[in-house]
């Protein structure tokens, strides 16, 4: 096997940098504290929205790793440590999701404010005035025991594969050879099959069931497209920042071009699914379907337009050219813009269903996001610091180092 | 370090230690030699089918659409099924030349030419079904927004059917230009080698005065890149618009938001199956096994496996959401598909499209020419049934039970479908005789990195 001599560079997660994460986490805790103390009706949905967002960014990183191994992509070895570190947030995202769901269930049993309307027992009871025949008709799927089983299944799969990919990659660093690659490839096939199922199911469970009456067959794939764009955007941000620190000298403009291409292509893909879902529902104008968009267009007009504008119009113009995808600064700025854009998109998916009209993005919401960002940053950077910034001994390493087109 | 060196794990794309000259010889041989017996047999059958197509279409146009089995409830049946089937098949060519170019998959180079040819002939077949369904095909130009002096009414831009006119005509134009641009340097090779006057004359015209200077190549590459850029959204847009013909309506089983991406996945699925069917025969008949290797077949089988699984997920999603929605019309539409009078069509679709491609998880089947050929035929059949199931079973029982009917095709519709295979195979067989079936100029660029000779030297 080819051995390529590479500088064994490491990123150092300095005390100063750690302090920044602590400050962000503190801001988050204060914001969450205020929203609960003031009995904000958005308190729980803010938690779900922000945690879901960072959790699926980690999931996107696991997915990215899996497609690289499964397709035997050569170029991406040079940047692989970045998605690997991002994927290590997966256990945190899953654990926090469990805490938020349990917390909301306990709090909701007291004050009756569940994020998920179908958590109310009354809606299934024909004797109750709250009886809802439509939701009762879904009880074969929307019932607590089955929900818990599904959620545990997702978390086991996602966390299990995230940890496995990391472990094998570090082992390959030390041992070399192509056996690790072949094992990783097989596991990636397995993950991709499970991801195809869990990514759709989790979108129905965590998000679509908030608007309990509403349904859309495209919802799972729409959620997937959004999570992949946000994952790639965060990857681009970390990559460029590390490159500017001089840690990623081996990453050339062709690697950046590929990352930019993913951002561009999947932004267009996201828009394609956004349009398909919206246009078909708008065109047919069936009351049970169109209700979903009516509330978003009328009560959340500014954000509704911003969602489309930020996530489509900006990337299509600024990332279209070849040169734009090769400039680190453009990738960084576009990464930040798309990160915010898809944060707004997830808000659109969660909040109107959870609180009806009157949800908003204010300082508290931004603070909550910063808190999750601080934790995400802390976890990802501390894992990034634990291993050399370049994965060694991959059978495709040399291809990646010579990558150009 | 020298030139780019691939990982040792990559398999060679060209076997038999071919040189650039060998590639020219092997690709030009069918053009310069005489057709063998098998080609003439296939061509005669295809011509007979084409003749049958002319007869049945003429009969339909001359007599009226009443000669078909369609009725007041089932207004779309075999015609639109065949239209969607053919359009879908075309998608593999565009995916190979545009998306696989973006992903820099070098194995596309041995199959892109014939896949693109397939695209063009398949789109022609698809368009023929729209025209034959028009009733008055001599005013087909009314589907374009022409000024009223032409006698047309202004088209309704709110209708997805008119979007389809634009989608398909754009698709055809771009695919044709892309395909032809790639052919120009290869035509020039045939011209420069020509030993007969007639061949020299025709290939001089076809090659547009190509001389192979650096400037020629630079322009060639730039045009190819621009066309690939234009083609990429077409891979998604064409079949999305086709799906909107159904999904914008409120017919149960048609109105579902997953239709656009699911149709696209299905189109690529069926397209690759047809590429396999054609390529397996072509490589054998023209002795191109060193260029279209088992590795190429394996790669295409993987795409069939992936897209087949995506289609499977979409089927299950539709079925689940129909139940989850609580809308009884939706629920009945899907129950009727699986257990109603057309259950056999539904289960044929499920078996061919969801179960058979899963066999490609086994690498022995993926790398077996015989298994690939058989499974590709299954997929071709399954994807035809998919469109039949969507169109006919949704229409034959919708909101009003008093209008529920059955549909069965007449000999004329069956004849037009069989005839359309002739409409496809006659030009395709001519293509294999007169056009370089492998993009030889492009393929020569990977000899040094991916040829079997280069692989041996480096290891």
């Amino acid at each position: 096997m080819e051995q390529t001599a590479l500088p064994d560079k490491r990123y150092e997660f300095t005390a100063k940098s750690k302090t920044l994460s602590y400050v962000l986490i503190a801001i988050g805790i204060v914001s969450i504290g205020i929203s609960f103390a003031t009995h904000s009706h958005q308190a729980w949905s803010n938690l779900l929205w922000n945690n879901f967002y960072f959790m699926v960014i980690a999931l996107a990183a696991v997915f990215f790793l899996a497609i690289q191994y499964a397709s035997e992509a050569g170029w991406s070895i040079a940047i692989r440590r970045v998605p690997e570190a991002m994927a290590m947030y997966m256990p945190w995202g899953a654990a926090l999701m469990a805490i938020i769901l349990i917390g909301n269930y306990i709090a909701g049993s007291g004050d009756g404010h569940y994020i998920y309307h179908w958590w109310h027992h009354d809606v299934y009871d024909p004797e109750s005035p709250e009886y809802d025949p439509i939701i009762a008709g879904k009880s074969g799927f929307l019932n607590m025991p089955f929900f818990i089983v599904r959620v545990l299944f997702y978390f086991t799969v996602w966390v299990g594969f995230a940890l496995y990919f990391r472990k094998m990659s570090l082992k390959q660093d030390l041992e070399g050879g192509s056996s690790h690659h072949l094992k990783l490839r097989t596991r990636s096939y397995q993950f991709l099959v499970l991801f195809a199922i869990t990514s759709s199911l989790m979108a129905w469970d965590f998000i679509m069931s908030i608007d309990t009456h509403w349904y859309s067959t495209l919802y799972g794939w729409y959620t997937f497209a959004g999570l992949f764009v946000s994952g790639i955007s965060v990857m681009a941000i970390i990559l460029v920042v590390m490159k500017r620190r001089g840690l990623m000298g081996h990453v050339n403009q062709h690697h950046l071009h590929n990352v930019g291409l993913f951002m561009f292509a999947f932004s267009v893909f996201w828009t394609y699914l956004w349009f398909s879902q919206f246009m078909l529902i708008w065109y047919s104008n069936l009351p049970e379907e169109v209700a979903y968009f009516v509330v978003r267009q009328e009560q959340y007009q500014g954000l509704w337009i911003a969602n489309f504008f930020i996530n489509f119009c900006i990337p299509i113009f600024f990332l279209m050219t070849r040169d734009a995808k090769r400039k680190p600064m453009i990738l960084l700025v576009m990464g930040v813009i798309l990160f915010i854009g898809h944060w707004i998109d997830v808000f659109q998916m969660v909040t109107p269903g959870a609180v009806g009209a009157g949800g908003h993005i204010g300082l508290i919401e931004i603070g909550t996001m910063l808190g999750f960002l601080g934790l995400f940053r802390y976890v990802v950077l501390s894992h990034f610091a634990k291993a050399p910034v370049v994965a060694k001994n991959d059978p495709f390493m040399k291809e990646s180092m010579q990558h150009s087109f | 370090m020298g030139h780019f060196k691939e990982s040792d794990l990559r398999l060679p794309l060209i076997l038999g230690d071919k040189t650039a000259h060998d590639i020219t010889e092997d690709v030009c041989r069918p053009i310069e030699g005489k057709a063998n017996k098998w080609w003439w047999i296939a061509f005669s059958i295809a011509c007979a089918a084409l003749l049958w197509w002319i007869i049945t279409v003429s009969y339909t146009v001359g007599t009226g659409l009443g000669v078909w089995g369609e009725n007041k409830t089932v207004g779309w049946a075999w015609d639109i099924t065949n239209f969607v089937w053919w359009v879908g098949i075309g998608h593999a060519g565009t995916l190979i030349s545009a998306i696989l170019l973006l992903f820099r998959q070098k194995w596309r180079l041995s199959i892109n030419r014939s896949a693109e040819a397939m695209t063009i002939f398949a789109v022609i077949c698809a368009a023929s079904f729209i025209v034959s369904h028009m009733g008055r095909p001599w005013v087909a130009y009314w589907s374009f927004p022409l000024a009223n002096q032409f006698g047309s009414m202004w088209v309704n831009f709110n209708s997805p059917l008119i979007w389809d006119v634009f989608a398909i005509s754009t698709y055809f134009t771009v695919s044709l230009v892309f395909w032809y641009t790639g052919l120009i340097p290869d035509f020039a090779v045939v011209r420069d080698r020509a030993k007969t006057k007639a061949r020299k004359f025709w290939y001089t015209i076809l090659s547009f005065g190509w001389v192979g200077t650096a400037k020629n190549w630079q322009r060639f590459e730039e045009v190819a890149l621009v066309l690939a850029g234009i083609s990429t959204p077409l891979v998604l847009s064409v079949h999305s618009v086709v799906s909107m013909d159904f999904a914008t309506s409120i017919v149960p089983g048609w109105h579902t938001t997953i239709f656009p991406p699911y149709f696209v996945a299905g189109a690529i699925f069926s397209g690759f199956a047809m590429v396999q069917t054609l390529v397996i025969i072509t490589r054998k008949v023209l002795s191109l096994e060193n260029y279209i290797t088992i590795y190429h077949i394996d790669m295409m089988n993987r795409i069939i496996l992936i897209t087949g699984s995506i289609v499977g997920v979409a089927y299950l999603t539709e079925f689940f959401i129909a139940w989850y929605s609580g809308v009884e019309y939706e629920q009945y539409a899907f129950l009727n598909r699986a257990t109603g009078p057309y259950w056999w069509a539904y289960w044929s679709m499920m078996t061919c499209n969801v179960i058979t491609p899963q066999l490609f998880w086994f690498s022995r089947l993926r790398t077996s020419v015989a298994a690939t050929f058989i499974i590709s035929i299954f997929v071709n059949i399954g994807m035809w049934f998919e469109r039949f199931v969507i169109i006919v079973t949704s229409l034959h029982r919708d909101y009003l039970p008093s209008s529920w009917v059955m549909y069965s095709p007449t000999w004329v519709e069956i004849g037009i479908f069989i005839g359309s295979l002739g409409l496809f195979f006659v030009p395709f067989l001519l293509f294999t005789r007169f056009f370089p079936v492998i993009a030889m100029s492009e393929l020569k660029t990977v000899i040094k990195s991916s040829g079997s000779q280069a692989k041996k030297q480096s290891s």
Side-chain angles (χ1 to χ4, degrees):
Chain A
M1 273 294 115
E2 309 148 10
Q3 299 286 333
T4 320
L6 280 167
D8 194 8
K9 274 191 197 163
R10 272 170 192 268
Y11 164 74
E12 196 195 343
F13 194 18
T14 59
K16 209 172 119 189
S17 184
K18 279 182 184 157
T19 315
L20 176 60
S21 279
Y22 298 145
V23 171
L24 289 172
I25 293 170
I27 293 172
I29 292 172
V30 170
S31 305
I32 295 166
I34 294 172
S35 70
F36 276 102
T38 55
H39 301 288
S40 160
H41 62 312
Q42 248 176 269
W44 283 107
S45 72
N46 281 348
L47 287 178
L48 178 74
W49 154 38
N50 282 289
N51 186 59
F52 179 83
Y53 189 50
F54 285 95
M55 180 182 78
V56 296
I57 286 173
L59 179 60
V62 188
F63 174 71
F64 180 82
L65 288 170
I67 51 172
Q68 302 309 308
Y69 290 127
S71 64
E72 302 202 314
W75 71 276
S76 59
I77 316 297
I79 64 159
R80 197 173 71 206
R81 280 289 134 86
V82 176
E84 267 175 23
M86 285 164 64
M88 294 308 280
Y89 183 76
M90 199 62 243
W92 291 81
L96 286 173
M97 191 57 118
I99 293 169
I100 291 166
L101 292 176
I102 294 167
N104 181 244
Y105 189 75
I106 294 166
S109 332
D111 61 10
H113 286 102
Y114 293 124
I115 300 172
Y116 302 97
H117 186 57
W118 61 270
W119 281 7
H120 290 275
H121 300 293
D122 300 350
V123 296
Y124 299 107
D125 179 8
E127 306 301 317
S128 160
E130 301 291 317
Y131 176 66
D132 186 324
I134 295 174
I135 299 180
K138 305 181 191 214
S139 64
F141 184 74
L142 296 181
N143 62 72
M144 203 42 96
F146 192 22
F147 178 75
I148 292 169
V149 169
R150 287 196 303 270
V151 171
L152 288 177
F153 176 67
Y154 311 149
F155 291 167
T156 315
V157 170
W158 299 342
V159 174
F161 279 94
L163 298 180
Y164 179 82
F165 288 154
R166 173 74 169 182
K167 193 183 85 186
M168 282 307 267
S169 169
L170 295 181
K171 228 173 139 189
Q172 191 178 45
D173 266 23
L174 299 175
E175 295 167 10
S178 54
S179 67
H180 301 92
H181 166 74
L182 297 176
K183 277 183 204 151
L184 280 161
R185 196 181 63 178
T186 310
R187 292 284 176 218
S188 297
Y189 297 155
Q190 294 165 352
F191 175 76
L192 290 173
V193 170
L194 291 168
F195 180 81
I197 300 163
T198 55
S199 63
S200 277
L201 278 173
M202 71 95 176
W204 303 339
D205 272 327
F206 291 135
I207 316 267
M208 196 170 86
S209 80
I210 297 172
D211 289 270
T212 314
H213 284 186
W214 186 74
Y215 56 89
S216 165
T217 41
L218 191 48
Y219 206 77
W221 294 358
Y222 173 77
T223 309
F224 157 71
L227 78 87
F228 197 55
V229 176
S230 28
I232 295 289
S233 303
V234 172
M235 204 171 87
I237 295 170
I238 301 175
L239 193 61
V240 174
V241 169
M242 292 301 161
K243 194 169 162 58
R244 287 168 70 86
R245 295 251 173 99
L247 287 166
M248 290 268 177
H250 58 283
V251 172
N252 62 34
Q253 54 173 349
H254 305 282
H255 295 103
L256 293 180
H257 186 142
N258 277 1
V259 175
L261 204 57
F262 266 109
M263 274 164 85
F264 176 78
F266 278 87
S267 289
V268 176
F269 183 67
W270 173 87
T271 313
Y272 161 63
L273 297 187
W274 183 94
F275 177 76
S276 299
Q277 181 165 275
F278 171 71
M279 193 279 284
L280 290 176
I281 288 175
W282 167 81
Y283 196 108
S284 303
N285 209 15
L286 295 170
E288 64 267 29
E289 289 181 357
V290 88
Y292 180 86
F293 286 111
V294 168
V295 66
R296 281 156 181 83
Q297 255 182 308
E298 289 176 358
Q299 309 295 335
Y300 293 84
Q301 202 174 35
L303 288 168
W304 196 73
I305 294 166
N307 184 21
F308 185 79
F309 181 80
I310 298 174
N311 293 323
F312 175 63
C313 302
I314 294 183
I316 192 116
F317 285 117
F318 289 95
L319 277 177
M320 169 118 36
T321 66
R322 176 179 180 276
D323 289 351
K325 297 185 196 84
R326 295 176 175 225
K327 291 207 173 70
M329 268 320 280
I330 294 184
L331 281 193
L332 181 65
V333 172
M334 289 309 301
V336 172
I337 290 173
L338 287 173
F339 171 79
I340 297 169
H342 283 276
W343 181 63
I344 294 172
D345 184 39
V346 178
F347 171 85
Q348 287 276 319
M349 291 156 79
V350 172
T351 314
V355 305
H360 67 284
I361 299 183
L363 284 177
I364 297 289
E365 284 69 33
I366 294 170
T368 310
M369 186 271 272
L370 292 177
F372 280 95
L373 178 64
L375 180 67
F376 181 82
R377 189 179 174 282
Y378 184 85
V379 173
V380 172
L381 290 183
S382 48
H383 281 284
F384 193 62
K386 277 183 192 157
V389 292
V390 198
K392 282 187 291 190
N393 292 335
D394 191 285
F396 297 101
M397 193 68 224
K398 198 164 178 190
E399 279 187 22
S400 188
M401 288 300 144
Q402 293 185 339
H403 179 58
S404 74
F405 56 92
Chain B
M1 208 154 71
H3 64 84
F4 178 77
K5 189 185 160 309
E6 283 184 339
S7 165
D8 298 338
L9 291 184
R10 306 253 185 238
L11 295 173
L13 296 177
I14 306 167
L15 300 176
D17 299 346
K18 299 288 182 184
T19 62
H21 180 67
D22 294 338
I23 295 181
T24 309
E25 289 289 337
D26 291 342
V27 176
C28 292
R29 192 170 300 125
I31 303 171
E32 292 164 352
K34 281 206 162 31
N36 62 18
K37 180 179 73 183
W38 292 108
W39 188 88
W40 281 111
I41 293 172
F43 190 67
S44 310
I45 297 171
C47 282
L50 178 62
L51 191 66
W52 188 235
W53 180 82
I54 293 169
I55 292 167
T56 45
V57 169
S58 307
Y59 179 60
T60 302
V61 172
T63 316
L65 287 177
V67 300
W68 291 2
E70 289 166 343
N71 49 54
K72 261 159 74 179
T73 304
V74 184
W76 279 0
W78 271 49
D79 47 357
I80 306 298
T81 301
N82 296 331
F83 159 72
V84 181
W85 189 69
W86 278 118
V87 176
I89 283 170
H91 277 62
T94 326
L95 184 104
I96 289 168
S97 43
I99 306 264
L100 294 189
L101 174 81
L102 282 178
F103 281 118
R104 294 184 282 278
Q105 297 294 307
K106 290 182 200 157
W107 57 270
R108 77 178 190 283
L109 295 172
S110 298
I111 49 165
N112 59 357
R113 176 69 45 76
S114 43
E116 285 173 35
M118 179 196 79
T119 297
I120 288 158
F121 306 138
V123 175
I124 292 172
C125 289
S128 79
F129 280 97
I130 297 299
V131 175
S132 69
H133 188 210
M134 277 178 171
R136 287 183 293 164
W138 51 91
V139 291
Y141 64 92
W142 283 14
S143 57
F144 292 101
L146 296 168
N148 277 352
Q149 289 91 317
F150 287 94
S152 76
M153 288 178 288
W154 190 245
V155 293
N156 179 8
F157 281 99
N158 289 338
S159 163
L161 300 181
I162 200 69
W163 309 342
D164 234 359
V165 173
F166 295 114
I168 304 286
S169 49
T170 309
Y171 185 46
F172 181 72
T173 314
V174 173
S175 301
L176 186 65
V177 173
F178 202 174
W179 182 61
Y180 198 85
T181 312
L183 273 165
I184 289 173
D186 289 358
F187 279 145
V189 171
V190 180
R191 172 200 65 194
D192 295 344
R193 291 163 52 91
K195 294 212 174 66
T196 65
K197 270 200 173 146
R199 193 180 300 145
K200 188 103 188 161
F201 174 78
W202 287 112
Y203 286 93
T204 303
I205 293 175
L206 286 171
S207 58
F208 284 1
W210 176 272
V211 281
T213 59
K215 201 70 199 169
N216 275 174
W217 280 110
Q218 185 216 346
R219 289 189 177 125
F220 175 84
E221 299 217 335
E222 275 174 24
V223 169
L225 206 60
V226 169
L227 287 171
I230 298 173
S231 299
T232 306
L234 282 174
V235 177
L236 295 168
S237 69
V238 179
H239 230 57
S240 296
V241 172
V242 170
S243 82
M244 287 167 191
D245 293 344
F246 308 101
T248 50
S249 73
I250 52 166
V251 174
W254 283 11
H255 175 62
T256 173
T257 51
I258 207 169
F259 255 32
Y262 144 55
F263 264 52
V264 171
I268 294 165
F269 178 56
S270 68
F272 269 91
M274 188 57 107
V275 173
Q276 293 283 38
T277 312
L278 295 174
V279 144
I280 285 174
I281 297 172
T282 311
R283 74 195 274 275
K284 181 81 193 157
V285 173
L286 304 182
S287 315
L288 296 171
E289 285 98 336
N290 284 324
Y291 303 101
I292 301 164
T293 66
I294 296 295
Y295 176 75
H296 291 85
I297 290 173
D298 183 9
M299 286 296 118
M300 289 193 276
N301 283 339
R302 285 166 195 241
I303 294 186
I304 290 177
L305 172 61
I306 295 167
T307 48
S309 303
I310 293 174
V311 167
V313 168
Y315 289 163
L316 297 178
T317 303
E318 272 191 313
F319 219 103
F320 171 76
I321 297 286
W323 167 79
Y324 178 88
S325 72
V327 179
E328 59 184 341
Y329 301 106
E330 284 288 333
Q331 290 172 344
Y332 181 72
F334 282 88
L335 200 66
N336 183 45
R337 278 184 190 179
T339 62
Y342 289 111
W343 63 271
W344 47 271
Y346 181 83
W347 291 106
S348 304
M349 163 188 107
M350 276 297 198
T351 314
C352 296
N353 288 351
V354 183
I355 298 167
T356 47
Q358 298 304 320
L359 294 171
F360 282 145
W361 282 106
F362 302 103
S363 70
R364 274 189 60 189
L365 294 176
R366 253 190 349 254
T367 52
S368 150
V369 175
T372 303
F373 188 75
I374 294 166
I375 293 174
S376 77
I377 299 285
F378 267 95
V379 173
N380 287 326
I381 295 171
M383 285 307 291
W384 189 90
F385 271 112
E386 180 198 290
R387 279 59 175 257
F388 180 82
V389 166
I390 291 172
I391 293 167
V392 174
T393 67
S394 300
L395 285 177
H396 93 121
R397 289 183 174 178
D398 64 358
Y399 297 101
L400 202 60
S402 59
S403 303
W404 287 6
V405 292
M406 291 296 286
Y407 159 83
S408 51
T410 63
W411 66 272
V412 184
E413 283 157 292
I414 299 170
I416 295 177
F417 174 63
I418 292 168
S420 75
L421 293 167
L423 184 63
F424 176 80
F425 275 104
V426 166
F428 191 83
L429 287 165
L430 290 173
F431 158 78
T432 61
R433 291 287 312 139
F434 294 105
F435 284 26
V437 289
I438 286 178
M440 49 183 163
S441 308
E442 286 182 89
L443 188 66
K444 286 172 190 171
T445 60
V446 299
I447 296 182
K448 280 190 180 158
S449 61
S450 309
S452 55
Q453 185 78 28
K455 290 272 170 191
K456 272 180 215 159
Q457 280 162 1
S458 71
S459 56

